[in-house]
């Protein structure tokens, strides 16, 4: 199922004989090894040799080594150097700070810094709300993590989480024009995290919590929302939920079903799954059945924590029990944010006609999308190499753009639903089909549409 992609892209610099067959030999070797060539550049030419940069995509780091070894075994080929293009992108970090004002002479310095800046400090001291108008607070978000749930890699700690947070900050700027900054905390104590965010909050217009493990993330978000006068948004929860709900609205349009008539199965009841369920319930579905590693969540299941008790009380109206395969029987929709390879086409066949499958575990989904397509009418994944990619970047830049523009002090379910509907509406009736239920992450109309929807929802509550 996986195909070579740019996440494992290498550039191999090698020497080859100046023969007519050299290029064909090299490209054939990469193909035999299962790689995909994306560039072939001659960087030096001599009478007795040519130097070539051969760029190709691989499946993994080990696969990239296999490709390089295959090239090195060709007669007359000398591998000089192998560059991992992903690591090259990260050298020195991916973001930087730059000044918005000129500092060319003494006059500029006197206004931007001392003595002129003192007047601005006094103005903010007299009217603290002026901080939103006269400082970076009006357009700045803290991307906060403790490194306890980094991507699908687990508890890697704050330093290893930093590349993800840098990437998040770059996406904020690219898609929403928001200045975001990584804040990687060297603690996984709930009280310390809450206090640390409280202490840095005066600088920021919003807090984006990221890659904090459940169930700790629920308490951290809830308590920070109570304490702070700026929006607190846990993207692993609400960003995912927004895009899923928007995509589901369009998927149901494709198959001609109403959510009120549908049984929805949500597999995975951590941060993302819990938020998806809670936002779906606002849409009044026919039923939602939650499933975790211990099976179907129901009210009489022993050992439920507080989050699962809350989920059990609001879902599974018939109080059924069993495993995932049992839950899928007669379901209209499957939404997975859990683990790879949990079921096959055989189980999809037990779902209702025109089933919808959102298999979002990354990088390997709960079911092979090609398997799901044997019986499902609409299939979505979290991957970029299949149609219908459910990606949080469709949500969070526009959400924070709208929150900052509205000077919002909190975020509500109505704002989340407004964002979901805005994403869905970008895919109009002429574009909508089973392979296109959400817009591309590079569709420049998405973030402004989401921002405007969030602004209007915030204004309606002010």
């Amino acid at each position: 199922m996986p195909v070579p992609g740019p996440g494992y892209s290498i550039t191999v610099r090698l020497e080859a004989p100046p023969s007519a067959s050299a290029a064909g030999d090299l490209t054939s070797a990469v193909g035999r090894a299962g790689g995909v060539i994306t560039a072939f550049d001659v960087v030096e030419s001599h009478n007795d040799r040519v130097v070539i940069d051969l760029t190709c995509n691989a499946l993994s780091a080990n696969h990239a080594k296999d490709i390089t070894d295959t090239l090195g075994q060709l007669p007359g080929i000398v591998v000089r150097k192998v560059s991992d293009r992903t690591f090259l992108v990260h050298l020195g970090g991916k973001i930087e700070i730059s000044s918005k004002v000129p500092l060319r002479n003494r006059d500029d310095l006197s206004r931007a810094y001392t003595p002129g800046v003192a007047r601005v400090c006094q103005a903010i001291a007299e009217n603290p709300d002026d901080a939103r108008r006269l400082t970076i607070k009006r357009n700045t978000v803290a991307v906060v993590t403790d490194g306890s749930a980094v991507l699908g890699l687990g508890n890697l700690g704050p330093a290893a989480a930093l590349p993800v947070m840098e990437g998040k900050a770059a996406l904020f700027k690219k898609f929403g024009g928001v200045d975001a900054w990584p804040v990687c905390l060297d603690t996984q104590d709930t009280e310390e995290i809450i206090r640390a965010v409280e202490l840095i909050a005066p600088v920021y217009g919003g807090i984006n919590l990221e890659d904090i493990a459940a169930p700790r993330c629920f308490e951290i978000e809830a308590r920070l929302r109570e304490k702070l006068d700026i929006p607190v948004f846990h993207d692993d929860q609400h960003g995912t939920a927004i895009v899923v709900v928007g995509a589901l609205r369009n998927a149901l349009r494709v198959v001609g079903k109403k959510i009120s008539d549908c049984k929805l199965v949500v597999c995975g009841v951590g941060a993302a799954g819990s938020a998806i369920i809670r936002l779906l319930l606002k849409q009044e579905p026919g039923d939602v059945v939650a499933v975790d590693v211990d099976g179907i969540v129901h009210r009489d299941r022993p050992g439920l924590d507080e989050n699962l008790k809350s989920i059990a009380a609001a879902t599974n109206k018939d109080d059924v029990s069993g495993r995932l395969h049992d839950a899928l029987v007669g379901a209209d929709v499957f939404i997975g944010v859990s683990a790879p390879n949990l079921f096959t086409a055989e189980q999809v066949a037990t779902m209702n006609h025109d089933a919808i499958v959102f298999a979002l575990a990354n990088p390997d989904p709960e079911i092979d999308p090609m398997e799901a397509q044997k019986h499902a009418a609409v299939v979505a994944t979290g991957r970029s190499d299949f149609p219908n990619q459910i990606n949080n970047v469709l949500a969070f830049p526009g959400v924070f753009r709208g929150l900052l523009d509205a000077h919002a002090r909190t975020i509500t379910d109505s704002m989340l639903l407004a964002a979901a509907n805005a994403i869905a509406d970008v895919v109009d009736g002429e574009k909508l089909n089973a392979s296109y239920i959400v817009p591309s992450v590079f569709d420049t109309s998405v973030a402004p549409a989401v921002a405007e929807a969030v602004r209007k929802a915030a204004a309606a509550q002010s």
Side-chain angles (χ1 to χ4, degrees), residues 74-324:
L74 293 175
I77 298 298
V78 177
V79 174
R80 282 191 183 179
K81 181 180 180 182
V82 181
S83 299
D84 186 313
R85 298 179 70 212
T86 297
F87 277 80
L88 289 177
V89 165
H90 288 77
L91 283 178
K94 300 187 293 290
I95 59 175
E96 64 181 6
I97 291 176
S98 61
S99 177
K100 294 168 60 178
V101 298
L103 296 173
R104 299 162 300 194
N105 50 46
R106 187 184 301 273
D107 284 354
D108 290 343
L109 191 61
S110 295
R111 284 187 291 270
Y113 197 51
T114 185
V117 71
R119 296 173 54 218
V120 182
C121 295
Q122 290 172 322
I124 293 172
E126 293 171 5
N127 181 16
D129 282 346
D130 271 353
R132 289 180 183 266
R133 185 172 65 89
L134 297 172
T135 73
I136 60 172
K137 185 180 182 75
R138 68 183 296 171
N139 195 54
T140 306
V141 168
V143 184
V144 178
T145 189
D146 65 355
S148 60
V150 180
L151 302 175
L153 303 173
N155 188 352
L156 300 185
L162 183 54
V164 181
M165 303 309 118
E166 285 185 14
K168 201 82 172 191
L171 294 173
F172 265 112
K173 188 66 173 179
K174 168 68 176 178
F175 295 106
V178 173
D179 296 314
W181 195 254
V183 179
C184 299
L185 300 175
D186 193 10
T187 178
Q188 294 181 358
D189 179 86
T190 296
E191 298 301 327
E192 288 189 334
I193 293 169
I194 291 169
R195 185 57 181 150
V197 176
E198 276 189 279
L199 293 172
I200 65 171
V203 178
Y204 299 99
I207 303 293
N208 183 85
L209 301 175
E210 188 78 21
D211 289 357
I212 299 174
R216 185 168 65 253
C217 61
F218 302 127
E219 181 180 358
I220 291 170
E221 182 195 40
R223 288 178 56 191
L224 284 173
R225 285 187 172 188
E226 290 176 358
K227 290 174 175 288
L228 301 182
D229 66 346
I230 55 176
V232 178
F233 180 89
H234 186 202
D235 188 51
D236 299 324
Q237 293 184 64
H238 307 302
T240 305
I242 287 168
V243 184
V244 165
V245 169
L248 180 59
R249 200 190 94 178
N250 280 347
L252 290 171
R253 289 170 61 199
V254 169
V255 300
K257 294 182 180 181
K258 295 180 180 179
I259 195 170
S260 57
D261 298 328
C262 291
K263 172 187 173 183
L264 284 58
V265 174
V266 178
C267 183
V269 199
S274 298
I276 289 168
I277 289 168
R278 291 189 170 95
L279 202 58
L280 285 172
L281 290 173
K282 300 290 182 181
Q283 307 290 292
E284 300 183 354
D287 195 15
V288 175
V289 177
V291 184
D292 67 2
V293 68
D294 295 317
I296 294 174
V297 177
H298 59 93
R299 287 175 281 281
D300 297 325
R301 201 179 90 178
L304 298 181
D305 61 26
E306 290 305 311
N307 177 57
L308 290 178
K309 287 179 181 177
S310 173
I311 295 294
T315 63
N316 194 359
K317 63 184 181 183
D318 295 325
D319 210 28
V320 300
S321 59
R323 313 300 295 182
L324 172 62

Side-chain angles (χ1 to χ4, degrees), residues 251 254-255 257 332 348 352-357 372-380 388 433-435 437:
V254 169
V255 300
K257 294 182 180 181
D332 298 278
V348 180
N352 280 343
H353 181 65
D354 284 337
I356 296 167
V357 172
Q373 288 171 6
K374 292 178 181 178
H375 299 289
V378 180
V379 178
N388 299 326
N433 60 60
S435 296
I437 58 171

